[in-house]
């Protein structure tokens, strides 16, 4: 049969099967590379990077376990005692509560430098309203909580409504609140003896529960319950998903129907309220109301958040990672102290951890992005 028969109309009966045969030849001889896809398996490093991207709290958890193991080997049973383990929890309770407030803000791609000042001012308000104005302790506590929420609300309005950078807003509020704190309190401390006699409710979070050699203060229990509640809210409610959405891409969140301004105001207000709770816990921790306490709470909270694997660019991270980061700092501080090393080594190692955490975050984002 001649090759020219392919041009014969298909309607001729004598050539009915010829076009289909030639068409099959064309298909059989055609190139198939255009339909192929890159199906190369990921390397072990790439798989690990994607795992870390999906589980940002895994890195601080690994570092925490390794730190505990190393100090346990060096110090032996002295470090693994129930008292030592719970002592670490007591030391990080305040940082953990303030860190929870910082976590909410950083998830929205912001930062709050005023968390420590809000905490101290709220504690001073609680003490002064009780001792200066004679209000009942319960009312004084509520006033302190309201003060913290108000400070956070002002931060939220300036960031969301006036479109001011969070760093600048909270830096200015930090100075304003700090000055207001000293002016209002006249730099006077309310002694623990006076609190125990007239307002034991203010020292509530300093009470403890003993289980064998373990000592759990109410402040530690409050921290654990707060973190558990916020973890549930962030992972299983619409509000929590909106927090991540705003931090990841506020424009896309707005197009998806999220009221970004309202979300930011609510986040900063809740952050201020949590800081006021930390102020109440701070009174229980130190036993007195001091306007000079908690001077480094803002830096310590940012340290816990960064070491905990939360991205400073917002939209990624877990509040569990923040707690792991706070515990890492607590383990290093107590472990090095028990070894008898110079305290400056603690700051050096924490600095290395901060830089390493940011570098790992960039590495994860680059590969997984």
């Amino acid at each position: 049969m001649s090759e020219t028969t392919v041009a014969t109309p298909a309607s001729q009966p004598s050539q009915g099967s010829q076009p289909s045969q030639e068409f099959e030849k064309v298909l059989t001889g055609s190139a198939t590379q255009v339909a192929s896809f890159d199906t190369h398996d990921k390397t072990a490093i790439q798989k690990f990077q994607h795992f870390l991207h999906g589980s940002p709290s895994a890195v601080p958890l690994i570092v925490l376990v390794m730190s505990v193991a190393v100090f346990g080997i060096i110090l032996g049973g002295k470090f693994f005692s129930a008292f030592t383990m719970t002592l670490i929890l007591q030391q990080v309770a305040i940082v953990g509560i303030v860190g929870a407030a910082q976590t909410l803000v950083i998830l929205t791609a912001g930062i709050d430098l005023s968390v420590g000042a809000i905490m101290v001012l709220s504690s001073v308000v609680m003490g002064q309203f009780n001792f200066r104005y004679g209000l009942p302790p319960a009312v004084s506590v509520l006033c302190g909580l309201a003060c913290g929420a108000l400070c956070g609300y002002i931060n939220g309005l300036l960031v969301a409504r006036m479109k001011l950078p969070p760093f600048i807003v909270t830096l200015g509020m930090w100075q304003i609140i700090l000055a207001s704190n000293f002016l209002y309190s006249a730099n006077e401390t309310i002694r623990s003896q006076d609190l125990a006699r007239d307002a034991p409710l203010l020292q509530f979070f300093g009470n403890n529960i003993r289980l064998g050699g373990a000592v759990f203060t109410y402040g530690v229990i409050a921290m654990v319950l707060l973190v558990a509640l916020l973890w549930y809210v962030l992972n299983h409610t619409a509000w929590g998903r909106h927090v991540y959405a705003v931090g990841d891409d506020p424009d896309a969140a707005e197009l998806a129907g999220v009221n970004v301004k309202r979300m930011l105001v609510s986040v900063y207000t809740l952050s201020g309220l949590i800081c006021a709770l930390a102020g109440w816990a701070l009174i229980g921790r130190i036993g007195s109301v001091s306007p000079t306490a908690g001077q480094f709470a803002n830096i310590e909270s940012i340290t816990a958040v960064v070491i905990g694997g939360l991205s400073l660019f917002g939209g990624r991270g877990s509040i569990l990672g923040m707690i792991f980061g706070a515990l890492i700092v607590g383990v290093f501080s107590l472990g090095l102290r028990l070894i008898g090393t110079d305290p400056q080594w603690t700051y050096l190692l924490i600095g290395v951890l901060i830089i390493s955490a940011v570098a790992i975050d960039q590495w994860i984002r680059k590969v997984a992005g």
Side-chain angles (χ1 to χ4, degrees):
M1 184 179 295
S2 174
E3 292 293 334
T4 57
T5 57
V6 295
T8 305
S11 59
Q12 296 181 10
S14 60
Q15 304 297 331
S17 61
Q18 187 65 23
S20 61
Q21 294 174 354
E22 291 296 328
F23 193 58
E24 290 177 2
K25 290 180 181 180
V26 173
L27 288 180
T28 304
S30 63
T32 59
Q33 288 82 354
V34 294
S36 64
F37 295 93
D38 185 10
T39 59
H40 294 296
D41 293 334
K42 296 176 182 176
T43 64
I45 295 295
Q46 290 175 326
K47 291 180 180 179
F48 184 60
Q49 289 167 335
H50 282 268
F51 166 73
L52 295 181
H53 186 268
S55 304
S57 59
V59 173
L61 178 59
I62 293 172
V63 174
L64 176 62
V65 172
M66 292 177 60
S67 303
V68 172
V70 169
F71 283 112
I73 293 173
I74 296 174
L75 297 169
K78 181 180 180 181
F79 187 77
F80 281 124
S81 67
F83 177 77
T84 302
M85 293 290 102
T86 52
L87 181 60
I88 294 173
L89 289 174
Q90 293 176 38
Q91 291 179 340
V92 304
I94 306 301
V95 175
I97 296 175
V98 178
Q102 191 72 259
T103 296
L104 296 177
V105 175
I106 287 182
L107 284 176
T108 64
I111 194 168
D112 193 345
L113 299 178
S114 65
V115 288
I118 294 175
M119 174 187 70
V120 178
L121 178 61
S122 300
S123 68
V124 168
V125 167
M126 294 177 189
Q128 293 293 335
F129 273 41
N130 178 252
F131 283 85
R132 180 182 296 183
Y133 307 124
L135 296 179
V139 176
S140 299
V141 168
L142 291 177
C143 290
L145 295 175
C147 175
L150 177 61
C151 292
Y153 179 72
I154 295 173
N155 281 337
L157 283 181
L158 295 174
V159 171
R161 302 294 180 181
M162 298 187 65
K163 302 293 186 180
L164 299 179
F167 182 89
I168 301 301
V169 169
T170 57
L171 178 62
M173 285 296 292
W174 172 42
Q175 299 288 346
I176 293 171
I177 296 173
L178 197 61
S180 301
N181 170 39
F182 287 119
L183 290 172
Y184 177 65
S185 66
N187 205 18
E188 294 179 352
T189 298
I190 301 176
R191 300 180 304 172
S192 59
Q193 298 92 324
D194 297 332
L195 288 176
R197 183 185 68 248
D198 300 325
L201 179 63
L202 296 181
Q203 296 179 325
F204 171 76
F205 288 108
N207 299 327
N208 59 68
I209 299 174
R210 294 181 178 272
L211 298 175
V215 180
F216 297 95
T217 63
Y218 290 171
V220 171
I221 297 173
M223 177 193 70
V224 173
L225 293 177
L226 175 65
V227 169
L229 176 62
L230 290 178
W231 177 87
Y232 178 83
V233 169
L234 289 172
N235 290 278
H236 297 284
T237 67
W239 187 87
R241 290 190 291 272
H242 291 170
V243 170
Y244 280 99
V246 170
D248 187 51
D249 191 336
D251 295 330
E254 191 79 47
L255 292 174
V258 178
N259 191 325
V260 175
K261 293 181 180 179
R262 185 183 300 169
M263 280 299 303
L264 289 174
V265 172
S266 67
V267 166
Y268 280 91
T269 303
L270 180 58
S271 173
L273 179 62
I274 294 173
C275 290
L277 176 64
W280 188 8
L282 178 65
I283 297 175
R285 172 66 179 164
I286 64 177
S288 61
V289 178
S290 173
T292 60
Q295 294 289 332
F296 302 102
N298 53 347
I299 301 300
E300 291 173 344
S301 67
I302 296 173
T303 299
V305 168
V306 172
I307 295 178
L310 279 88
S311 175
L312 293 178
F313 298 100
R316 192 176 69 84
S318 170
I319 194 169
L320 294 180
M322 180 278 301
I323 283 296
F324 296 150
L327 289 173
I328 289 171
V329 175
V331 167
F332 270 90
S333 300
L334 184 60
L336 292 175
R337 194 182 311 155
L338 292 175
I339 292 174
T341 59
D342 192 307
Q344 301 305 323
W345 281 102
T346 303
Y347 297 110
L348 187 150
L349 292 175
I350 291 174
V352 171
L353 286 174
I354 292 173
I355 296 175
S356 301
V358 174
I360 291 173
D361 176 67
Q362 293 284 355
W363 178 62
I364 293 172
R365 276 181 169 269
K366 180 179 178 181
V367 175

